[in-house]
Amino acid sequence: MLSIIQAAGWPIWPLVLCSVLALAIAIERAVSLRAVKVAPATLLDEAIAVTRNGPPTPEVVEQLEKSSALGEVLAGPLRAWRANPKMSLEDLHAAAEVTGRVVAHRLERYLSALATIASAAPLLGLLGTVIGMIEIFGSQGTGAVAGATNPLQLAHGISVALYNTAFGLIVAIPSLILWRYFRARVDEYVLTLEVAADRFVRHLDTWRKL
């Protein structure tokens, strides 16, 4: 691999940097978007059980908020409910929506960078191809002046062009696949958070009317 990178010339180094960044983002997102960190399966039922007898203590709310992304969304209307137990259903929904936007934005972290890498890598590969072609024509021009072509320089220019083109696609294709995968996963989580928040807010409103 090192010999290929050396043979490809300097245009391949931005692609190497893009590949490292894409791998780091993929690992970070894979860890951060685990279900246990975003939406634990039993957390909503536990939150409903805790609030059946009235507003919980601030310590319980803080523990819920720190447990996961879903816990943070549920803690938003819960804090509003503690501050004003007689607030309307619309106000509870608004509190959940504001917190949900913050959480959704955090779930999408680095995905735009991954999409940029997927879009830019083929262009960087194309840049390397153009530079390789320039070297090819440059070697031919030098050879014409000297009366003979330079086969070593010609072969080097062709290798630079092909290596960069291939490496650009090698970086872009997995990055695009990973971006689409994480994008779909975030959308699924956001829907889960919205449904859970709506159910929790209606539970709080029902208890408030008792």
Side-chain angles (χ1 to χ4, degrees), residues 22-204:
L23 180 60
I25 291 173
I27 294 174
E28 191 278 337
R29 289 291 83 191
V31 173
S32 299
L33 294 178
R34 291 180 300 165
V36 67
K37 280 194 165 187
V38 180
T42 61
L43 184 62
L44 176 59
D45 293 333
E46 293 173 358
I48 290 176
V50 168
T51 56
R52 278 191 178 136
N53 296 323
T57 62
E59 292 75 16
V60 173
V61 177
E62 184 176 358
Q63 184 179 2
L64 176 64
E65 185 177 27
K66 293 181 178 179
S67 63
S68 61
L70 175 58
E72 187 174 348
V73 172
L74 300 182
L78 202 53
R79 289 185 186 278
W81 184 43
R82 279 187 52 82
N84 182 12
K86 296 183 178 181
M87 68 189 316
S88 66
L89 177 62
E90 291 74 16
D91 291 335
L92 289 174
H93 272 296
E97 184 178 354
V98 170
T99 309
R101 288 178 181 176
V102 175
V103 172
H105 179 73
R106 190 165 63 246
L107 292 178
E108 295 173 355
R109 183 185 300 170
Y110 306 131
L111 291 186
S112 60
L114 191 59
T116 301
I117 291 173
S119 301
L123 298 179
L124 292 173
L126 179 61
L127 175 63
T129 302
V130 172
I131 292 174
M133 297 302 293
I134 291 174
E135 291 188 8
I136 293 174
F137 287 111
S139 66
Q140 288 179 343
T142 304
V145 173
T149 59
N150 187 340
L152 292 179
Q153 192 170 1
L154 183 64
H156 175 70
I158 294 174
S159 67
V160 169
L162 295 179
Y163 280 139
N164 281 277
T165 301
F167 204 78
L169 295 175
I170 289 173
V171 174
I173 293 172
S175 298
L176 179 60
I177 293 173
L178 288 170
W179 175 76
R180 293 296 297 270
Y181 169 74
F182 288 125
R183 178 74 264 173
R185 199 166 182 181
V186 167
D187 290 342
E188 182 180 352
Y189 279 138
V190 169
L191 178 60
T192 300
L193 296 180
E194 290 178 353
V195 172
D198 181 72
R199 181 183 169 190
F200 188 66
V201 165
R202 292 185 182 280
H203 158 73
L204 296 182

